[in-house]
Amino acid sequence: MKKPYLRIYLSLMSKSKLNIKDISSFIVFISTTYLSTVWINLYYLSSRNVDFHKYYGYINYFLGADVDIDYGQGSLYFYLIASTFKNKLEIINENNFEIIINNSVQNINLLFYIIGLIGVYKLLKFFKFSNSLIFLTLSIFNFFPQGLFIRAVMKPEILGFSFFPWIIYFLEQFKKTNSRKYIYRALPFLVLVLSSKASIAGMILFYILII
C-alpha cells in the first residue's frame, strides 16, 4: 500500500522542483530584461547613432514638419516614436531634447522587443523546449550584443525581431494542423514586416519559400 503513495509523493516532488526551476529561471529572465534595459537607458543615447539622422526625417514628418521622406521604410515604427515624443512636447527644451527623444525611441523599442521575446517563447514551446531552458536562453540574449543593439538604436529592424517569430510560429502551427486560421493570424505580422524594410522582407520571403 505504501508504494503507490510513495510514487505519487515522488511525482509531486519532481513537479514541485520543476516549478521552482521554472520560476527561478523566469525571475532571472525578468531581472536581466530589466537590468539590460536600465543599462541601455543610462549609457546609450539613440540620437548619437550614425543612422539616427538618416531616419530622423520620419519623426519630423509625423510631427507635422514640411519634409520629404527619401527612404522606402515602413512608417508604423517611426509614427509610434513620434507620437511618444509628441506627448512630451510641452516640457522639451534644448537641455533635455536628447534625453526625451532617446526615451521615446528606447521605450518603443522595448515594446517591440518584448513582443518579439514572447513570440520566441511561443515558438520554442511549440518545439517542446522546457521553460527553464527557454528563459535561460532569453536571459543570455538580453545581454547579447545584438539584443542590446536593437533596443538602443532607432532602426526599423526591431520590427523584424518583433514579428518574425510570430510568423514562424503561426506557419508551423498551420503545417501541423492544416488550419487556415493560423494563416490569417500570421498575415498582419507578415504585412507589417514586409512593409518595414526591404532586407527584412527578403529574409521573410526566403524563409516562406523554403518551408
Side-chain angles (χ1 to χ4, degrees), residues 132-146:
S132 57
L133 180 59
I134 294 172
F135 290 133
L136 175 61
T137 302
L138 296 180
S139 297
I140 294 173
F141 183 74
N142 280 333
F143 282 102
F144 197 71
Q146 288 302 316

Side-chain angles (χ1 to χ4, degrees), residues 16-26 132:
S16 177
K17 289 180 181 179
L18 178 62
N19 288 335
I20 292 173
K21 187 176 181 181
D22 290 346
I23 293 171
S24 300
S25 59
F26 179 72
S132 57

Side-chain angles (χ1 to χ4, degrees), residues 32-47 99 102-103 105-107 109-110 113 141-154 158:
T32 56
T33 303
Y34 173 76
L35 291 173
S36 60
T37 300
V38 170
W39 185 87
I40 293 170
N41 289 338
L42 289 176
Y43 295 106
Y44 193 90
L45 286 174
S46 301
S47 57
I99 295 174
N102 179 73
N103 289 339
V105 170
Q106 293 182 11
N107 286 339
N109 283 354
L110 179 61
Y113 182 74
F141 183 74
N142 280 333
F143 282 102
F144 197 71
Q146 288 302 316
L148 296 171
F149 180 76
I150 60 175
R151 283 179 283 168
V153 301
M154 188 174 72
I158 187 70

Side-chain angles (χ1 to χ4, degrees), residues 119-178:
V120 173
Y121 172 82
K122 296 279 288 184
L123 181 61
L124 293 178
K125 284 296 290 182
F126 175 83
F127 289 120
K128 308 299 183 183
F129 288 91
S130 67
N131 284 329
S132 57
L133 180 59
I134 294 172
F135 290 133
L136 175 61
T137 302
L138 296 180
S139 297
I140 294 173
F141 183 74
N142 280 333
F143 282 102
F144 197 71
Q146 288 302 316
L148 296 171
F149 180 76
I150 60 175
R151 283 179 283 168
V153 301
M154 188 174 72
K155 299 186 73 172
E157 279 82 354
I158 187 70
L159 297 180
F161 173 80
S162 181
F163 299 143
F164 191 38
W166 288 99
I167 295 171
I168 300 175
Y169 171 71
F170 288 129
L171 291 179
E172 291 293 338
Q173 287 281 15
F174 172 72
K175 287 170 59 180
K176 181 179 179 181
T177 65
N178 204 31

